[in-house]
Amino acid sequence: MIDTLLIHATAIAMEGDAILLRGPPGAGKSDLALRLIEGGARLLADDQTLLRRVDNHVLVRAPAAIAGLIEVRGVGVVRVDSLEEAPLALVVDLVPSAQVERIPDNRFEVVLGLTIPLMALAPRSSALRGARLRSHRRLPYRGDERRRWSRHY
């Protein structure tokens, strides 16, 4: 079984948990990450993200060569405050707003053999500002910790 992956994605941490932002080039991954960082999130990785399974967690980090760096369109690559590693809590697929369901069903994806909550977001939504990530209330309990995701984000 594969226990590490290098993927095209950006990752940020909110309250110590990793959120993986996926989408094609130009989808707005770095832009959304920067907006979330302005709101208190921390960068884990931009553009290339390492996933590593350890026990019942998928840990997220940047390859060493790009740790702490993020591309700002029209400016270039800049260094920002970053976190070395965090456990994956949520996968977010960035999609056109027409593809975002108003009241989506619970969705999940298997990542390195573990089931991770999955949601679709329009990255440039002016209403977003990280609120849906923090208040994603339809997710199940997290492992053995008997707390709701809505309290965690």
Side-chain angles (χ1 to χ4, degrees):
M1 178 173 157
I2 296 174
D3 62 353
T4 59
L5 285 174
L6 176 64
I7 63 169
H8 178 79
T10 293
I12 53 98
M14 296 176 80
E15 298 182 12
D17 283 335
I19 298 173
L20 192 65
L21 306 173
R22 300 188 308 192
K29 297 178 295 292
S30 297
D31 178 67
L32 177 55
L34 284 166
R35 287 188 284 145
L36 293 169
I37 289 166
E38 287 175 0
R42 295 188 60 198
L43 179 69
L44 285 164
D46 184 44
D47 195 45
Q48 297 294 309
T49 302
L50 285 169
L51 305 178
R52 177 173 57 103
R53 179 162 177 179
V54 177
D55 299 322
N56 286 328
H57 299 284
V58 174
L59 299 179
V60 179
R61 69 180 315 138
I66 62 169
L69 301 175
I70 189 167
E71 179 186 351
V72 180
R73 233 176 246 285
V75 174
V77 177
V78 298
R79 184 167 298 281
V80 298
D81 184 37
S82 63
L83 190 62
E84 183 177 335
E85 186 173 70
L88 182 59
L90 179 64
V91 175
V92 176
D93 283 333
L94 302 183
V95 299
S97 59
Q99 293 179 17
V100 177
E101 297 177 43
R102 287 186 61 185
I103 303 174
D105 291 329
N106 290 339
R107 294 176 51 208
F108 302 92
E109 180 158 328
V110 176
V111 179
L112 294 173
L114 296 176
T115 303
I116 306 293
L118 170 70
M119 67 184 296
L121 285 179
R124 292 180 179 90
S125 167
S126 61
L128 179 63
R129 306 277 184 237
R132 282 194 63 192
L133 296 178
R134 287 190 186 95
S135 64
H136 195 57
R137 299 175 190 273
R138 298 178 48 104
L139 297 177
Y141 285 100
R142 178 179 181 195
D144 293 332
E145 301 171 1
R146 296 292 178 203
R147 61 183 175 173
R148 295 281 305 166
W149 277 88
S150 61
R151 290 186 206 136
H152 188 66
Y153 283 100

